[in-house]
Structures are given as C-alpha cells and as structure tokens.
Amino acid sequence: MVCTDIHSALAPVLARYDQDQVVFVVDENLRSSSVLSRYFIGISSVLLPVHESQKSLETVQRIWDFFFESNLTRRGLVVAVGGGVLTDLAGFAAATYKRGVDCLNIPTTLLAMTDASTGGKTGFNYRGLKNSIGLFAPPVETLIWPGWLETLPPQQFLSGYAEMLKTGLVDVRRDDVRCTKGDGLWEALLRYDLDTTPLDALAPLIEACVAAKERVVAADPHEDGLRKVLNFGHTFGHALEEIQMVNGKSSNGKWLHGYAVLYGMIAELYLSVVKLGCPKEPLQQLTRLMTDYYGRPQCKCSDRAALIALMQQDKKNERAAQINCTLIRSVGDPVINQVITPAEAGEALDYLFSL
Ligand SMILES: NC(=O)c1ccc[n+]([C@@H]2O[C@H](COP(=O)([O-])OP(=O)(O)OC[C@H]3O[C@@H](n4cnc5c(N)ncnc54)[C@H](O)[C@@H]3O)[C@@H](O)[C@H]2O)c1
C-alpha cells in the first residue's frame, strides 16, 4: 500500500505483535534517517551494509544471528527497511528462520517500491549467479512511502524507473491506470519528465506499477506461467549483471540492476521486432530514454560468448542450455516461453552494443 505518512501506516501493524518480538533489519545508508531514529530506541535493530556484492549467504547468516541474539520467536515480526537487496535478504532470512516468521517490507528505493518488495520472491546470489538461492515468501504487508525517494541518488532512481518501464511494456490491463485517461501505463511513464516532473506526481505511477505486478502475481504466485511476463528484459539483463560479478567489477554506476534490465529490454525488444513483428516504436522510445538518461552499456566484444553462456544457465530456462525469454507482440501483449537460439541472442547483443 502507498501511504502518505509512514508512522501512521506502521503503527497498526506493529500493534499486532509483542514489542519485544519486533526486530528491524535496516539498510545502513538509512542510519541517519530521522524517520527511523525513533525505532532504533527500544526496538532491536541491525544495520546492514547494502550492496549487490553483499547479497550473499554470509549476510543471511548475519541476519539469522541477529534474530537468535534478539530471542525472536516464530510469533515475531521482521521489519525490512531498505532497497531490494535488503528486502530480498531479510525476507529470505525471515522465511527460513525457525521455519518462518512474518516479514513486513518498507522499501526505500524506487526499484524496491515498484518491484522487489511485492510478489514474495526472496533470496541471494550464489556461485556468481543472481538470486540462485531463494524461495517464495510473501511479506505480511508492504508499506510504500514515496518520501524516501528524496534522498535517493539519481542513478538509483533511474534504476527503479527502468523496472517501471518494464511493467509498462508488459502490463496487460491498459485501461486501468488511475493517473491517465484513455491510454496505458507505458504512455503515462513516457509522459513523466525525468528532468522536471516533481516526485509527488510519481505516486500514482508507483501505485499503478504495484497494482499491475500484484495482479500478475495473484494469478500466478509461483511463476508457473503468466508471471514470466515480469521477466521481460531479465534474460539479457541478468546475464549483463552477472558478467560484472564474473569479471569482478563493482555494480556501482551504470551497472545497477535496473540499468541491466533496461539494456536487456532493448535486446529483447529487438528480438520482439525480429521474431514477433512487434512495432519498432517502443524499441525507439526506450533507446531514446537510454541515450538521454542511462548511457550506453559498456561491454567488451569478448563478453559476448560469456553472456550467451550465462543466459544458457539462467534458472528461468525450462531446459538446460536453452535460452528462454519473454518477448512482446506489442505494448501490453507479452508472450512467455520464447526459445532463443545462441545465434539470435548474439544478434540481439550485437544490436545493443552497436547503439
Ligand atoms: N524480489 C524481487 O521480486 C525483485 C525484483 C526486482 C529486483 N530485485 C532485487 O533488488 C535488488 C536491487 O534493489 P535496489 O535497486 O533497491 O538496490 P539496493 O538495495 O542495492 O539499494 C540501492 C542503494 O540505495 C541505498 N538506499 C536505499 N534506500 C535509500 C534512500 N532512501 N536514500 C538513499 N539511499 C538509499 C542503498 O543503501 C544502496 O546503496 C537486486 O538484488 C535485485 O535482484 C528483487
């Protein structure tokens, strides 16, 4: 739920639990947040450094240790406050601790608000593969307060915006966007001017993205079919993210999750045009956003074969070594389970790197 006051939204949830059975797992970058400071007095809290490289078993163990040291029982509540890395980790730790305790998500990045904290996917990276260990464990609730975005660095904002654009491209209910009339989420997102439109105007778009994801997740909670539409851009996107882990590069700057997904969407829109006859307009619109705001992907030609190999190992594949993608026939008309040959994947990468 999107709220205008985080404290009044949080109070009734906390009231359902014994005070000594509530623990906070908080992104260390929010340490000085005046919004949170009141909860650091009297409630058990752990502050964690958050970075994709810390999305690991070691960090999960640290959270489990904190739960044990706080004498958390199965009747307790874990409040996860942070970006997608933190909510994925805390959600996994909560779901596996003593066979599961409740977890409340308070996402503080745009990406976590619109994507990571809804839908119940939790987990961590293992053996250089993104989110390769994890489980579905929906939070008891997700409280979205757009006020957190005031302090979010611009690149993090853009990273989240890329996932919103993805939702706009695959959203099948084009008549259900409260912020606009007559057209869909994609058009509303294109109209949002990233340079000048105030943050307040984003709240209805955040709500629309969350509602779109919730509809899909409700119809297919365990990704047996329909939910795969949300993976649009992620077959290429995850491989682009993983190549950094393999190459030992940091995920600062242009290599944030949403940036990788945006580049992945361009590759997958290219395949959508070539294989499914999708109109070129969304590809052109997204490419324009890339050049205006995100910059081109910095990849070496030598990464091409490694990227294809990574896509062949993707956990989303139905069969070993077969590349599986969601493509779109047009905006709002996604098609899941599209098998891509290594040659087609290479062609899409060549297109992306030629831009
Ligand atoms: N579970 C899912 O369904 C799902 C969906 C999409 C992405 N994800 C995961 O989400 C992760 C990416 O999440 P993210 O983009 O939020 O990154 P993140 O969690 O790394 O947060 C980005 C940075 O912003 C900082 N930060 C957080 N809130 C802030 C605020 N309000 N002000 C200033 N700084 C703040 C963090 O400390 C961090 O340095 C990836 O690991 C991805 O796999 C999960």
Side-chain angles (χ1 to χ4, degrees), residues 9 34 54 58 76 87 100 152 159 163 188 226 229 234 270 282 290 297 348-350:
S34 55
Q54 273 132 349
E58 289 72 29
T87 54
L152 198 66
S159 177
E163 286 280 8
L226 179 69
V229 303
H234 284 64
Y270 171 84
M290 177 187 84
L349 286 172
D350 290 343

Side-chain angles (χ1 to χ4, degrees), residues 27 29-30 50 52 55 83-86 88 108-109 111-112 115-116 118 121 130-131 148 151-153 156 159 163 213 257:
D27 185 322
N29 279 334
L30 303 169
V50 171
E52 193 64 40
K55 198 175 179 186
V85 170
L86 187 125
D88 277 11
T108 62
T109 63
L111 188 138
D115 194 358
T118 303
K121 282 189 185 176
K130 281 274 302 170
N131 304 325
W148 297 111
T151 57
L152 198 66
Q156 295 290 351
S159 177
E163 286 280 8
K213 181 163 182 183
H257 177 76

Side-chain angles (χ1 to χ4, degrees), residues 44-110:
S44 217
S45 313
V46 66
L47 292 158
L48 293 179
V50 171
H51 189 275
E52 193 64 40
S53 62
Q54 273 132 349
K55 198 175 179 186
S56 61
L57 179 59
E58 289 72 29
T59 312
V60 172
Q61 283 172 321
R62 218 181 130 187
I63 304 174
W64 282 328
D65 287 342
F66 163 65
F67 293 165
F68 279 107
E69 282 148 24
S70 308
N71 295 316
L72 189 67
T73 71
R74 286 172 69 180
R75 295 199 321 278
L77 175 72
V78 174
V79 184
V81 192
V85 170
L86 187 125
T87 54
D88 277 11
L89 285 166
F92 179 86
T96 45
Y97 175 77
K98 297 191 177 175
R99 297 206 176 90
V101 287
D102 287 353
C103 184
L104 167 74
N105 277 342
I106 302 186
T108 62
T109 63
L110 186 57

Side-chain angles (χ1 to χ4, degrees), residues 76-282:
L77 175 72
V78 174
V79 184
V81 192
V85 170
L86 187 125
T87 54
D88 277 11
L89 285 166
F92 179 86
T96 45
Y97 175 77
K98 297 191 177 175
R99 297 206 176 90
V101 287
D102 287 353
C103 184
L104 167 74
N105 277 342
I106 302 186
T108 62
T109 63
L110 186 57
L111 188 138
M113 290 178 192
T114 54
D115 194 358
S117 64
T118 303
K121 282 189 185 176
T122 68
F124 58 93
N125 305 329
Y126 191 63
R127 293 171 73 94
L129 295 174
K130 281 274 302 170
N131 304 325
S132 47
I133 305 289
L135 43 80
F136 289 98
V140 284
E141 218 161 310
T142 296
L143 301 181
I144 298 171
W145 178 59
W148 297 111
L149 300 176
E150 299 282 353
T151 57
L152 198 66
Q155 285 184 330
Q156 295 290 351
F157 185 90
L158 284 172
S159 177
Y161 204 73
E163 286 280 8
M164 294 175 77
L165 291 165
K166 175 211 71 183
T167 308
L169 282 170
V170 300
D171 183 28
V172 288
R173 289 270 298 276
R174 294 168 53 74
D175 55 338
D176 188 35
V177 183
R178 267 172 271 172
C179 45
T180 56
K181 281 196 190 125
D183 57 4
L185 180 55
W186 172 246
E187 290 77 8
L189 289 163
L190 290 179
R191 265 199 306 277
Y192 183 84
D193 185 333
L194 286 157
D195 292 320
T196 57
T197 316
L199 273 180
D200 297 352
L202 204 63
L205 292 169
I206 294 174
E207 268 189 307
C209 286
V210 173
K213 181 163 182 183
E214 280 175 345
R215 275 197 300 273
V216 172
V217 171
D220 177 21
H222 294 127
E223 203 170 295
D224 296 319
L226 179 69
R227 186 166 177 168
K228 292 179 188 172
V229 303
L230 300 173
N231 293 334
F232 183 63
H234 284 64
T235 298
F236 283 75
H238 275 166
L240 286 160
E241 260 188 295
E242 283 162 4
I243 200 91
Q244 306 167 89
M245 290 194 261
V246 172
N247 289 349
K249 288 183 207 158
S250 88
S251 58
N252 287 325
K254 289 180 178 163
W255 288 104
L256 299 174
H257 177 76
Y259 281 65
V261 170
L262 184 112
Y263 301 138
M265 285 193 286
I266 289 179
E268 293 177 24
L269 275 171
Y270 171 84
L271 289 171
S272 300
V273 172
V274 171
K275 284 173 73 77
L276 300 182
C278 174
K280 286 189 178 146
E281 207 184 3

